[in-house]
Amino acid sequence: DPSDLPAIEVRGAHKHYGALHAVDGIDLRVERGEIFGLIGHNGAGKSTLFKMILGLVPATRGEILVSGASVHGRGFRAARRHLGYLPENVVLYDNLSGLETLHFFARLKGAPLQQCPVLLDRVGLAQAAHRAVREYSKGMRQRLGFAQALLGTPRVLLLDEPTNGLDPQAIRDFYATLRKLQTEGVTIIITSHILAELQERVDRLAILATGKLQALGSVQALREQTQMPLTFALTL
Ligand code: ATP
């Protein structure tokens, strides 16, 4: 796992869905140990970009590297194992308990089953481990999805709107967990459409609109670069 290589590198990436240009020439480098925020409205292309990094959606053009391994190359299977992914709408089976759910995902990923109760505790679901997911609130389901993303101790986390459905206290707890993971060397890319939530909590931020990066940098650099309130930049 060469530590001098960026965690993620996206070079001139494009994705067309028929006539729709969902990802329109993106260049992006996420360094190891960074918390990187990706902000944009619905339809901006955030989820598509994540799926391209995961190798789930092939790029129409351009290149994507995970720890230096091309998504299209031979080394990607090994690199892929170090990626943890929380999809925007995590699919859960209502009849399974929280613990059974994690066991299910652990088997799929080849992660150790002993991790499951530890991760449930980490996301604050230890008490609910044996309750059916049917009885979980939206926030609990989201936290279970996050625990699923942590299975296998990934080096890079791709979190698609992870705080969707969480109450303010749960959001604070969630970011505290992210900072702890960061101290353990984990790289985190997190999407949101709420600028206020991300801007104080990420190391760098990119603004994505209609498939293009409108701006990229630290929150302070973006304020200077765009010479307008960031909230306004976001409406572009
Ligand atoms: P959201 O927060 O709503 O998920 P997003 O920024 O993640 O928004 P994407 O889901 O990446 O945006 O979608 C980008 C554009 O690509 C949208 O216009 C969407 O309708 C379109 N799109 C996404 N997936 C497909 C697909 N499989 N086929 C056709 N069009 C798609």
Side-chain angles (χ1 to χ4, degrees):
D1 196 24
S3 55
D4 51 333
L5 292 166
I8 303 288
E9 201 169 353
V10 178
R11 294 183 189 153
H14 290 259
K15 179 64 194 177
H16 294 265
Y17 289 114
L20 182 82
H21 210 160
V23 169
D24 188 358
I26 290 193
D27 291 284
L28 184 66
R29 235 178 105 118
V30 179
E31 305 298 339
R32 269 162 208 288
E34 213 178 3
I35 302 184
F36 188 93
L38 190 59
I39 192 136
H41 295 299
N42 290 342
K46 307 182 297 293
S47 303
T48 301
L49 185 60
F50 270 9
K51 287 176 191 161
M52 289 163 80
I53 293 169
L54 289 154
L56 298 173
V57 162
T60 317
R61 190 144 52 90
E63 191 171 26
I64 293 167
L65 305 163
V66 176
S67 301
S70 167
V71 167
H72 305 293
R74 296 253 240 93
F76 185 65
R77 275 168 74 94
R80 172 73 183 76
R81 274 199 285 276
H82 298 295
L83 295 177
Y85 175 44
L86 173 62
E88 192 177 0
N89 298 301
V90 67
V91 177
L92 300 172
Y93 298 97
D94 277 356
N95 292 332
L96 298 185
S97 70
L99 186 60
E100 286 166 342
T101 302
L102 277 198
H103 281 165
F104 167 76
F105 283 114
R107 286 197 187 91
L108 273 184
K109 292 184 170 185
L113 296 186
Q114 312 89 275
Q115 273 199 331
C116 298
V118 179
L119 289 176
L120 281 176
D121 190 41
R122 186 154 205 183
V123 301
L125 289 175
Q127 303 291 323
H130 299 290
R131 275 164 58 194
V133 167
R134 180 188 319 110
E135 296 170 25
Y136 279 27
S137 67
K138 187 152 191 283
M140 290 166 81
R141 296 171 81 97
Q142 195 68 349
R143 284 186 276 147
L144 184 57
F146 181 44
Q148 166 280 132
L150 296 175
L151 281 166
T153 323
R155 310 289 308 272
V156 179
L157 281 175
L158 303 174
L159 307 174
D160 203 352
E161 306 202 10
T163 59
N164 207 351
L166 298 189
D167 62 62
Q169 183 56 47
I171 291 177
R172 284 191 288 274
D173 293 345
F174 171 76
Y175 280 102
T177 305
L178 289 196
R179 279 188 291 275
K180 174 116 196 310
L181 287 163
Q182 184 181 34
T183 66
E184 294 164 13
V186 177
T187 307
I188 298 158
I189 312 182
I190 174 169
T191 77
S192 175
H193 51 262
I194 305 165
L195 176 70
E197 182 194 310
L198 283 188
Q199 65 179 356
E200 305 304 331
R201 290 160 160 148
V202 298
D203 298 316
R204 286 192 305 148
L205 193 64
I207 300 176
L208 188 65
T210 55
K212 288 191 172 80
L213 286 188
Q214 305 294 335
L216 189 159
S218 67
V219 173
Q220 194 188 334
L222 286 192
R223 284 209 178 95
E224 290 161 9
Q225 197 178 317
T226 57
Q227 296 186 326
M228 61 180 107
L230 271 182
T231 44
F232 181 72
L234 256 179
T235 64
L236 288 176

